[in-house]
């Protein structure tokens, strides 16, 4: 896409957004709205409906009614597939508009958003649309006087709560398999990144999705998210976001109908570089992009760099060089490598983490500051901190910003101990030419995803999910389908 197209889209005014309930755009029940602040310049971009608990209840009721009358679940699989395919086509046809709208809302650099947002969402929807008529039931190997059948049924109403870093991509990871399996859905986008996802919901209706099957309520997590969590009529809750909210959701389930809760939470992922890595310069570049793209607001970001002590200083210098070569700035400029921090709150939190790291003895090699404050937007220089110990805050707590902590190690055993020294377990990476060591590290590091001689970029064919306090269940791949079905046994006397 060329810059002129982006500038034309940037110049468009953004209308106020309302909920989508039962196929209609509706305002909040009390008429209230929330300002949407663009992280590009700190100005108000538009408003979204500030949902109430009553709005959430209405959306869940619409989803339940749609599920019960079979307007979607009872359609032939081929018909559901056609509609989902059309939805993916519409998303792709509107990709520039969706990507620019999303960037104005959440601040991701456009070069990344173009690949990771609408295009990836469309691919995910196609993947599950293609899969939906290939999910078979089973016949159990029983004695000959009975027949044991295992049916795979939709669960009913799925509640999906998503974060702000990649709203369309992460939204599609949940909406596509849920809808493909015949469920109805209520979506709750993040306060600071609703717009592109709400447009995507509109496009589903344009594609022919019946009203009530996909509903979306905007507003505050503590209000509408809580109402969804406490609902007696949501069967499965799927969530991506922070551990704190994940804990609350499990509490809501316990206090209501024991709904199944699947959590994709944060990480503190170790990127482990041995001196025998095949190409240390390349490893340094990838280590930098693996933490700094989208300003570090990536769940699998390689935020802990563990480096073999013998190459520590040279390698850190290479990573710093790569970081300094990354252009921080206007997320809508095609040559920007690191866009805006999503909100003032998040920027302030990042800067507090840097101050804490220094107070704990960490040394800043590059970055550490807010930049481009004169734009009114929220920007931060890519930041590298060395001397980060095993118990330091930068080892133990997720920043979710452009901050890389570096820790040296002497042996493979020490690298494994450091890698596993947190409560998280989302992703990791190892750089080595030694095949045996690569496999040992894959087995030993407690994560959901382990990269070897690369970092990031795993596609939709493989699962993404955490262990430990990074969550349970996984998005992506055929495995994700299990979250959206119930197994029902039919036991028949012959
Ligand atoms: P967050 O938990 O603050 O918010 C996520 C969503 O939960 C938002 O839609 C928010 O409105 C909603 N929410 C907030 N409070 C709620 C409540 N009380 N009840 C119900 N819903 C509520 O997280 P965030 O700051 O938006 O996202 C960043 C976090 O997400 C990071 O920790 C990051 O690592 C994680 N993340 C994980 C993955 C993954 O796949 N594992 C992917 C992306 C982001």
């Amino acid at each position: 896409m060329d810059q002129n197209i982006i500038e034309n889209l940037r110049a468009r005014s953004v209308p106020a957004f309302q909920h989508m309930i039962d196929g209609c755009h509706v305002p909040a029940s009390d008429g209230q709205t929330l300002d949407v602040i663009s992280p590009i310049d700190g100005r108000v971009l538009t408003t979204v409906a500030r949902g109430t608990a009553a709005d959430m209840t209405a959306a869940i009721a619409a989803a339940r009614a749609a599920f019960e009358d079979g307007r979607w679940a009872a359609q032939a699989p081929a018909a559901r597939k056609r509609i989902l395919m059309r939805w993916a086509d519409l998303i792709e046809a509107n990709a520039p508009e969706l990507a620019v709208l999303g960037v104005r809302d959440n601040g991701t650099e456009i070069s990344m958003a173009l690949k990771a947002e609408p295009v990836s969402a469309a691919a995910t929807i196609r993947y599950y649309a293609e899969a939906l008529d290939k999910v078979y039931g089973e016949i159990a190997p029983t004695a000959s006087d009975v027949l044991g059948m295992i049916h795979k049924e939709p669960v009913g109403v799925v509640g999906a709560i998503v974060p702000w870093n990649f709203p369309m991509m992460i939204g599609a990871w949940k909406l596509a398999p849920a809808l493909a399996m015949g469920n109805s859905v209520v979506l709750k986008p993040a306060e600071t990144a609703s717009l592109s996802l709400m447009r995507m919901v509109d496009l589903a209706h344009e594609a022919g999705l019946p009203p009530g099957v996909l509903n979306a309520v905007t507003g505050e997590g503590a209000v509408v998210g809580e109402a969804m969590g406490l609902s007696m009529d949501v069967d499965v809750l799927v969530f991506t976001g922070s551990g704190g909210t994940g804990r609350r959701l499990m509490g809501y389930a316990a206090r209501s109908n024991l709904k199944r809760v699947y959590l994709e939470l944060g990480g503190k992922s170790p990127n482990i570089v041995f001196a025998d890595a095949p190409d240390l310069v390349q490893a340094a570049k990838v280590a930098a992009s693996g933490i700094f793209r989208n300003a570090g607001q990536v769940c699998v970001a390689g935020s802990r760099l563990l480096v073999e002590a013998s190459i520590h200083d040279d390698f850190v210098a290479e990573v710093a060089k790569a970081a300094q070569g990354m252009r921080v700035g206007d997320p809508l400029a095609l040559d920007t490598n690191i866009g805006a921090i999503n909100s003032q709150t998040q920027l302030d939190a990042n800067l507090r983490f840097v101050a804490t790291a220094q107070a704990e003895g960490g040394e800043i090699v590059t970055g550490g500051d807010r930049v481009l404050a004169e734009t009114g937007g929220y920007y931060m220089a890519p930041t590298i901190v060395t001397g980060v110990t095993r118990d330091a805050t930068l080892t133990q707590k997720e920043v979710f910003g452009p901050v890389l902590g570096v820790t040296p190690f002497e042996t493979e055993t020490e690298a494994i101990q450091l890698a596993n020294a947190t409560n998280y377990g989302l992703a990791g990476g190892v750089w080595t030419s030694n095949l045996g060591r690569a496999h040992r590290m894959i087995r030993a590091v407690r994560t959901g995803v382990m990269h070897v001689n690369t970092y990031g970029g795993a596609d939709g064919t493989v699962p993404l999910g955490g262990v430990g306090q990074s969550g349970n269940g996984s998005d992506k791949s055929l495995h994700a389908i299990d979250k959206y079905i119930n197994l029902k046994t039919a036991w028949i006397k012959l």
Side-chain angles (χ1 to χ4, degrees), residues 160-166 169-170 173-174 188-192 219-229 237 239-246 248-249 252 263-268 296-301 342 346 398-400 424 426 464-466 470-471 475:
I161 303 181
V162 300
W164 42 260
N165 54 340
F166 294 103
M169 178 175 81
I170 295 175
W173 288 347
K174 302 189 189 309
K188 150 69 183 94
E191 292 85 328
T192 55
E220 289 138 316
V223 179
V224 284
E226 182 178 271
M228 179 189 278
L237 195 54
F239 170 74
T240 295
S242 64
T245 306
R248 278 189 205 103
L249 296 179
Y252 300 151
L263 306 175
E264 303 284 340
L265 307 175
K268 196 74 221 189
Q297 302 165 129
V298 178
C299 57
V300 296
N342 180 253
Q346 190 67 27
E398 181 182 45
V399 177
F400 216 57
Y424 292 110
L426 188 57
L464 171 65
S470 288
D475 283 327

Coordinates of all heavy atoms in Angstrom, one line a residue, residues 160-166 169-170 173-174 188-192 219-229 237 239-246 248-249 252 263-268 296-301 342 346 398-400 424 426 464-466 470-471 475, ligand 1:
A160 N -16.5 -13.5 24.3 CA -15.1 -13.4 23.9 C -14.6 -12.0 24.4 O -15.3 -11.0 24.0 CB -14.9 -13.5 22.4
I161 N -13.6 -11.9 25.2 CA -13.1 -10.6 25.6 C -11.6 -10.5 25.1 O -10.8 -11.4 25.3 CB -13.0 -10.6 27.2 CG1 -14.5 -10.8 27.7 CG2 -12.5 -9.2 27.7 CD1 -14.6 -10.7 29.2
V162 N -11.4 -9.4 24.4 CA -10.1 -9.3 23.7 C -9.3 -8.0 24.1 O -9.9 -7.1 24.6 CB -10.2 -9.4 22.2 CG1 -10.8 -10.7 21.8 CG2 -11.0 -8.3 21.6
P163 N -8.0 -8.0 23.9 CA -7.2 -6.9 24.4 C -7.0 -5.9 23.2 O -7.5 -6.1 22.1 CB -5.9 -7.5 24.8 CG -5.7 -8.7 23.8 CD -7.1 -9.1 23.5
W164 N -6.1 -4.9 23.4 CA -6.0 -3.8 22.5 C -4.8 -4.0 21.5 O -4.6 -3.2 20.6 CB -5.8 -2.5 23.2 CG -5.0 -2.5 24.4 CD1 -5.4 -2.6 25.7 CD2 -3.5 -2.4 24.5 NE1 -4.3 -2.6 26.6 CE2 -3.2 -2.5 25.9 CE3 -2.5 -2.3 23.6 CZ2 -1.9 -2.4 26.3 CZ3 -1.2 -2.3 24.0 CH2 -0.9 -2.4 25.4
N165 N -3.9 -4.9 21.8 CA -2.6 -4.9 21.0 C -2.8 -5.3 19.5 O -2.2 -4.8 18.6 CB -1.5 -5.7 21.7 CG -1.9 -7.1 22.1 OD1 -3.1 -7.4 22.1 ND2 -0.9 -7.9 22.3
F166 N -3.6 -6.4 19.3 CA -3.9 -6.8 17.9 C -5.4 -7.2 17.9 O -5.8 -8.4 17.9 CB -3.1 -8.1 17.5 CG -1.6 -7.8 17.4 CD1 -0.7 -8.2 18.4 CD2 -1.1 -7.1 16.3 CE1 0.6 -7.9 18.3 CE2 0.2 -6.8 16.2 CZ 1.1 -7.2 17.2
M169 N -6.7 -9.5 14.8 CA -6.1 -10.8 14.7 C -6.5 -11.7 15.9 O -7.0 -12.8 15.7 CB -4.5 -10.6 14.8 CG -3.8 -12.0 14.8 SD -2.0 -11.7 14.7 CE -1.6 -11.3 16.4
I170 N -6.5 -11.1 17.1 CA -6.8 -11.9 18.3 C -8.3 -12.2 18.3 O -8.8 -13.2 18.7 CB -6.3 -11.2 19.6 CG1 -4.8 -11.2 19.6 CG2 -6.8 -12.0 20.8 CD1 -4.1 -10.5 20.7
W173 N -9.1 -15.0 16.1 CA -8.7 -16.3 16.7 C -9.8 -16.9 17.5 O -9.9 -18.1 17.7 CB -7.4 -16.1 17.6 CG -6.2 -15.9 16.8 CD1 -5.9 -16.0 15.5 CD2 -4.9 -15.5 17.4 NE1 -4.6 -15.7 15.2 CE2 -4.0 -15.4 16.4 CE3 -4.5 -15.1 18.7 CZ2 -2.7 -15.0 16.6 CZ3 -3.2 -14.8 18.9 CH2 -2.3 -14.7 17.9
K174 N -10.7 -16.0 18.0 CA -11.8 -16.5 18.9 C -13.1 -16.6 18.1 O -13.8 -17.6 18.2 CB -11.9 -15.6 20.1 CG -10.6 -15.5 20.9 CD -10.6 -14.8 22.2 CE -9.3 -14.6 22.8 NZ -8.4 -15.8 23.0
K188 N -16.5 -8.6 23.4 CA -16.3 -7.4 24.2 C -14.9 -6.9 23.8 O -13.9 -7.5 24.3 CB -16.4 -7.7 25.7 CG -15.6 -6.9 26.6 CD -15.9 -5.5 26.8 CE -15.0 -4.8 27.7 NZ -13.9 -4.1 27.0
P189 N -14.8 -5.9 22.9 CA -13.4 -5.4 22.6 C -12.8 -4.6 23.7 O -13.5 -4.2 24.6 CB -13.7 -4.5 21.4 CG -15.1 -4.6 21.0 CD -15.8 -5.2 22.2
A190 N -11.5 -4.3 23.6 CA -10.9 -3.5 24.6 C -11.3 -2.0 24.5 O -11.5 -1.5 23.4 CB -9.3 -3.6 24.5
E191 N -11.3 -1.3 25.6 CA -11.7 0.1 25.6 C -10.9 0.9 24.6 O -11.4 1.8 24.0 CB -11.5 0.7 27.0 CG -12.4 0.2 28.1 CD -11.8 -1.1 28.8 OE1 -11.2 -1.9 28.1 OE2 -12.1 -1.2 30.0
T192 N -9.6 0.6 24.6 CA -8.7 1.5 23.8 C -8.4 0.9 22.4 O -7.4 1.3 21.7 CB -7.4 1.7 24.5 OG1 -6.8 0.4 24.8 CG2 -7.6 2.5 25.8
G219 N -17.2 -0.8 25.7 CA -17.2 -0.1 27.1 C -16.2 -0.7 28.0 O -15.3 -1.4 27.6
E220 N -16.4 -0.4 29.3 CA -15.3 -0.7 30.3 C -15.4 -2.2 30.7 O -16.5 -2.7 31.0 CB -15.5 0.2 31.5 CG -15.1 1.6 31.2 CD -16.0 2.6 31.8 OE1 -17.2 2.4 31.7 OE2 -15.5 3.6 32.4
G221 N -14.2 -2.8 30.8 CA -14.1 -4.2 31.3 C -14.8 -4.4 32.6 O -15.5 -5.4 32.8
A222 N -14.6 -3.4 33.5 CA -15.1 -3.6 34.9 C -16.6 -3.6 34.9 O -17.3 -4.0 35.9 CB -14.5 -2.5 35.8
V223 N -17.3 -3.1 33.8 CA -18.7 -3.0 33.8 C -19.3 -4.1 32.8 O -19.9 -5.1 33.3 CB -19.2 -1.6 33.3 CG1 -20.7 -1.5 33.2 CG2 -18.6 -0.5 34.2
V224 N -19.0 -3.9 31.5 CA -19.6 -4.9 30.6 C -18.9 -6.3 30.6 O -19.5 -7.3 30.5 CB -19.7 -4.4 29.1 CG1 -20.8 -3.4 29.0 CG2 -18.4 -3.8 28.7
G225 N -17.5 -6.2 30.8 CA -16.8 -7.5 30.9 C -17.3 -8.3 32.1 O -17.5 -9.5 32.1
E226 N -17.4 -7.5 33.3 CA -17.9 -8.2 34.5 C -19.3 -8.8 34.3 O -19.6 -9.9 34.7 CB -17.9 -7.2 35.6 CG -18.3 -7.9 36.9 CD -18.3 -6.9 38.1 OE1 -17.2 -6.8 38.7 OE2 -19.3 -6.2 38.4
A227 N -20.2 -8.0 33.6 CA -21.5 -8.5 33.4 C -21.5 -9.8 32.5 O -22.3 -10.7 32.8 CB -22.4 -7.5 32.7
M228 N -20.6 -9.9 31.6 CA -20.4 -11.1 30.8 C -19.9 -12.2 31.6 O -20.5 -13.3 31.6 CB -19.5 -10.8 29.6 CG -19.3 -12.0 28.7 SD -17.9 -11.8 27.6 CE -18.7 -10.9 26.3
G229 N -18.9 -11.9 32.5 CA -18.3 -13.0 33.3 C -19.3 -13.6 34.3 O -19.3 -14.7 34.6
L237 N -16.3 -18.8 28.2 CA -15.7 -17.5 28.1 C -14.3 -17.7 27.6 O -13.5 -18.4 28.2 CB -15.7 -16.9 29.5 CG -15.4 -15.4 29.8 CD1 -16.4 -14.6 28.9 CD2 -15.6 -15.1 31.2
F239 N -10.7 -15.5 26.6 CA -10.2 -14.2 27.0 C -8.7 -14.2 26.6 O -8.0 -15.1 26.7 CB -10.3 -14.1 28.5 CG -9.5 -13.0 29.1 CD1 -10.0 -11.7 28.9 CD2 -8.4 -13.2 29.8 CE1 -9.3 -10.6 29.5 CE2 -7.7 -12.1 30.3 CZ -8.1 -10.8 30.2
T240 N -8.3 -13.0 26.1 CA -6.9 -12.7 26.0 C -6.7 -11.4 26.7 O -7.4 -10.4 26.5 CB -6.4 -12.6 24.5 OG1 -6.5 -13.8 23.9 CG2 -5.0 -12.1 24.5
G241 N -5.7 -11.3 27.6 CA -5.4 -10.1 28.3 C -4.5 -10.4 29.5 O -3.7 -11.3 29.5
S242 N -4.7 -9.6 30.5 CA -3.7 -9.7 31.6 C -4.1 -10.8 32.6 O -5.3 -11.1 32.7 CB -3.6 -8.3 32.3 OG -4.9 -8.0 32.9
G243 N -3.1 -11.2 33.4 CA -3.4 -12.2 34.4 C -4.4 -11.7 35.5 O -5.2 -12.5 36.0
G244 N -4.3 -10.4 35.8 CA -5.2 -9.9 36.9 C -6.7 -10.1 36.4 O -7.6 -10.5 37.2
T245 N -7.0 -9.7 35.2 CA -8.3 -9.9 34.6 C -8.7 -11.3 34.5 O -9.8 -11.7 34.8 CB -8.5 -9.1 33.3 OG1 -8.0 -7.8 33.4 CG2 -9.9 -9.2 32.8
G246 N -7.7 -12.2 34.1 CA -8.0 -13.6 34.0 C -8.4 -14.2 35.3 O -9.4 -15.0 35.4
R248 N -9.9 -12.6 37.7 CA -11.3 -12.1 38.0 C -12.3 -13.0 37.2 O -13.3 -13.3 37.8 CB -11.5 -10.6 37.6 CG -11.0 -9.7 38.6 CD -11.3 -8.3 38.3 NE -10.3 -7.5 39.0 CZ -9.3 -6.9 38.4 NH1 -9.2 -6.9 37.0 NH2 -8.4 -6.2 39.0
L249 N -12.0 -13.3 36.0 CA -12.9 -14.0 35.2 C -13.2 -15.4 35.8 O -14.3 -15.9 35.8 CB -12.4 -14.2 33.7 CG -12.3 -12.9 32.9 CD1 -11.8 -13.1 31.5 CD2 -13.6 -12.1 32.9
Y252 N -15.6 -14.8 38.5 CA -17.0 -14.6 38.0 C -17.6 -16.0 37.7 O -18.8 -16.2 38.0 CB -17.0 -13.8 36.8 CG -16.4 -12.4 36.9 CD1 -15.9 -11.8 35.8 CD2 -16.4 -11.7 38.1 CE1 -15.3 -10.5 35.8 CE2 -15.9 -10.4 38.1 CZ -15.4 -9.8 37.0 OH -14.8 -8.5 37.1
L263 N -8.1 -18.9 29.1 CA -7.3 -17.6 29.3 C -6.0 -17.7 28.5 O -5.2 -18.6 28.6 CB -6.9 -17.5 30.8 CG -8.1 -17.6 31.8 CD1 -7.5 -17.5 33.2 CD2 -9.0 -16.4 31.6
E264 N -5.8 -16.6 27.7 CA -4.5 -16.4 27.0 C -3.9 -15.2 27.7 O -4.4 -14.1 27.5 CB -4.7 -16.1 25.6 CG -5.4 -17.2 24.8 CD -4.6 -18.3 24.5 OE1 -3.3 -18.2 24.5 OE2 -5.1 -19.4 24.2
L265 N -2.9 -15.4 28.5 CA -2.5 -14.3 29.4 C -1.1 -13.8 28.9 O -0.7 -14.0 27.8 CB -2.4 -14.7 30.8 CG -3.8 -15.3 31.3 CD1 -3.7 -15.8 32.7 CD2 -4.9 -14.3 31.2
G266 N -0.4 -13.1 29.8 CA 0.8 -12.4 29.4 C 2.0 -13.4 29.4 O 1.9 -14.6 29.6
G267 N 3.2 -12.8 29.2 CA 4.4 -13.6 29.2 C 5.6 -12.8 29.7 O 5.5 -11.6 29.8
K268 N 6.7 -13.5 29.9 CA 8.0 -12.9 30.2 C 9.0 -13.8 29.5 O 9.8 -14.5 30.1 CB 8.2 -12.9 31.7 CG 9.2 -11.9 32.2 CD 8.8 -10.5 32.1 CE 10.0 -9.6 31.6 NZ 9.7 -8.2 31.7
G296 N 6.7 -3.4 21.8 CA 6.7 -4.4 22.8 C 5.4 -4.9 23.3 O 5.3 -5.7 24.2
Q297 N 4.3 -4.4 22.6 CA 3.0 -4.7 23.1 C 2.5 -6.0 22.4 O 1.5 -6.0 21.6 CB 2.0 -3.6 22.8 CG 2.6 -2.3 23.6 CD 1.9 -1.0 23.1 OE1 1.5 -0.2 23.9 NE2 1.9 -0.7 21.8
V298 N 3.3 -7.0 22.6 CA 3.1 -8.3 21.9 C 3.1 -9.4 23.0 O 4.1 -9.4 23.8 CB 4.2 -8.6 20.9 CG1 4.0 -9.9 20.2 CG2 4.2 -7.5 19.8
C299 N 2.1 -10.3 23.1 CA 2.1 -11.2 24.2 C 3.4 -12.1 24.2 O 3.9 -12.4 25.3 CB 0.9 -12.1 24.2 SG 0.6 -13.0 22.7
V300 N 3.8 -12.5 23.0 CA 5.0 -13.4 23.0 C 6.3 -12.7 22.9 O 7.4 -13.3 22.6 CB 4.9 -14.4 21.8 CG1 3.7 -15.3 21.9 CG2 4.8 -13.7 20.4
A301 N 6.3 -11.4 23.1 CA 7.6 -10.6 22.9 C 8.7 -11.3 23.7 O 8.5 -11.7 24.9 CB 7.3 -9.2 23.4
N342 N 0.0 2.3 23.4 CA -1.4 2.4 23.3 C -2.1 3.5 24.0 O -3.1 4.0 23.6 CB -2.0 1.0 23.7 CG -3.5 0.9 23.5 OD1 -4.2 0.9 24.5 ND2 -4.0 0.9 22.3
Q346 N -0.5 3.2 29.8 CA 0.5 2.2 29.5 C 1.9 2.8 29.4 O 2.9 2.3 29.9 CB 0.1 1.5 28.2 CG 0.9 0.3 27.8 CD 0.7 -0.9 28.8 OE1 -0.4 -0.9 29.4 NE2 1.6 -1.7 29.0
E398 N 5.7 -8.7 33.7 CA 5.6 -8.3 32.3 C 5.4 -6.8 32.2 O 4.6 -6.2 32.9 CB 4.3 -9.0 31.7 CG 4.1 -8.7 30.3 CD 2.8 -9.3 29.7 OE1 1.8 -9.2 30.4 OE2 2.8 -9.8 28.6
V399 N 6.2 -6.2 31.3 CA 6.1 -4.7 31.1 C 5.0 -4.5 30.0 O 4.2 -3.6 30.2 CB 7.4 -4.1 30.6 CG1 7.3 -2.7 30.3 CG2 8.5 -4.4 31.7
F400 N 5.0 -5.3 29.0 CA 4.2 -5.0 27.8 C 4.5 -3.7 27.2 O 3.6 -2.9 26.8 CB 2.7 -5.1 28.2 CG 1.8 -5.8 27.1 CD1 2.1 -7.0 26.6 CD2 0.8 -5.1 26.5 CE1 1.4 -7.6 25.6 CE2 0.0 -5.6 25.5 CZ 0.3 -6.9 25.1
Y424 N 5.5 -17.3 34.5 CA 4.9 -17.3 33.1 C 5.4 -18.5 32.3 O 6.4 -19.2 32.7 CB 5.3 -16.1 32.4 CG 4.6 -14.8 32.9 CD1 5.4 -13.9 33.6 CD2 3.3 -14.5 32.8 CE1 4.8 -12.7 34.1 CE2 2.7 -13.4 33.3 CZ 3.5 -12.5 33.9 OH 3.0 -11.3 34.4
L426 N 4.8 -18.5 28.3 CA 4.1 -18.4 27.0 C 4.9 -18.7 25.8 O 4.6 -19.6 25.0 CB 3.6 -16.9 26.9 CG 2.7 -16.6 25.7 CD1 1.4 -17.5 25.7 CD2 2.2 -15.2 25.7
L464 N -1.3 -21.5 19.8 CA -0.6 -20.5 20.7 C -1.4 -20.5 22.0 O -2.6 -20.2 22.0 CB -0.7 -19.1 20.0 CG -0.2 -18.0 21.0 CD1 1.2 -18.2 21.3 CD2 -0.5 -16.6 20.4
G465 N -0.7 -20.9 23.0 CA -1.3 -20.9 24.3 C -0.2 -21.0 25.4 O 0.9 -21.5 25.1
G466 N -0.5 -20.6 26.6 CA 0.5 -20.6 27.6 C 0.4 -21.7 28.6 O -0.7 -22.4 28.6
S470 N 0.6 -18.1 32.3 CA 0.3 -17.5 31.0 C -1.0 -18.1 30.4 O -1.3 -17.7 29.3 CB 1.5 -17.8 30.0 OG 2.6 -17.1 30.4
G471 N -1.7 -18.9 31.1 CA -3.0 -19.3 30.7 C -3.2 -20.8 30.5 O -2.4 -21.6 30.8
D475 N -5.3 -20.8 21.3 CA -5.8 -20.2 20.1 C -5.1 -20.8 18.9 O -4.0 -21.4 19.0 CB -5.6 -18.7 20.0 CG -6.6 -17.9 20.9 OD1 -7.7 -18.4 21.1 OD2 -6.2 -16.9 21.5
Ligands
LIG1 P1 -6.6 -6.4 30.3 O1 -6.7 -7.6 31.1 O2 -6.5 -5.1 31.1 O3 -7.8 -6.2 29.3 C1 -8.1 -7.2 28.4 C2 -9.6 -7.2 28.2 O4 -10.3 -7.5 29.4 C3 -10.2 -5.8 27.7 O5 -11.2 -6.0 26.8 C4 -10.8 -5.2 29.0 O6 -11.8 -4.3 28.8 C5 -11.3 -6.5 29.7 N1 -11.4 -6.4 31.1 C6 -10.8 -5.6 32.0 N2 -11.2 -5.7 33.2 C7 -12.2 -6.6 33.2 C8 -13.1 -7.2 34.1 N3 -13.0 -6.9 35.4 N4 -14.0 -8.1 33.7 C9 -14.0 -8.5 32.4 N5 -13.2 -8.0 31.5 C10 -12.3 -7.1 31.8 O7 -5.3 -6.6 29.4 P2 -4.8 -5.5 28.3 O8 -4.0 -4.6 29.0 O9 -5.9 -5.1 27.4 O10 -3.9 -6.5 27.4 C11 -2.6 -6.7 27.7 C12 -2.4 -8.1 28.3 O11 -2.8 -9.1 27.4 C13 -0.9 -8.4 28.5 O12 -0.7 -9.0 29.7 C14 -0.6 -9.3 27.3 O13 0.5 -10.1 27.5 C15 -1.8 -10.1 27.2 N6 -1.9 -10.7 25.9 C16 -1.8 -12.1 25.8 C17 -1.9 -12.7 24.6 C18 -1.9 -14.2 24.5 O14 -2.2 -14.7 23.4 N7 -1.5 -14.9 25.5 C19 -2.0 -12.0 23.4 C20 -2.1 -10.6 23.5 C21 -2.1 -10.0 24.8

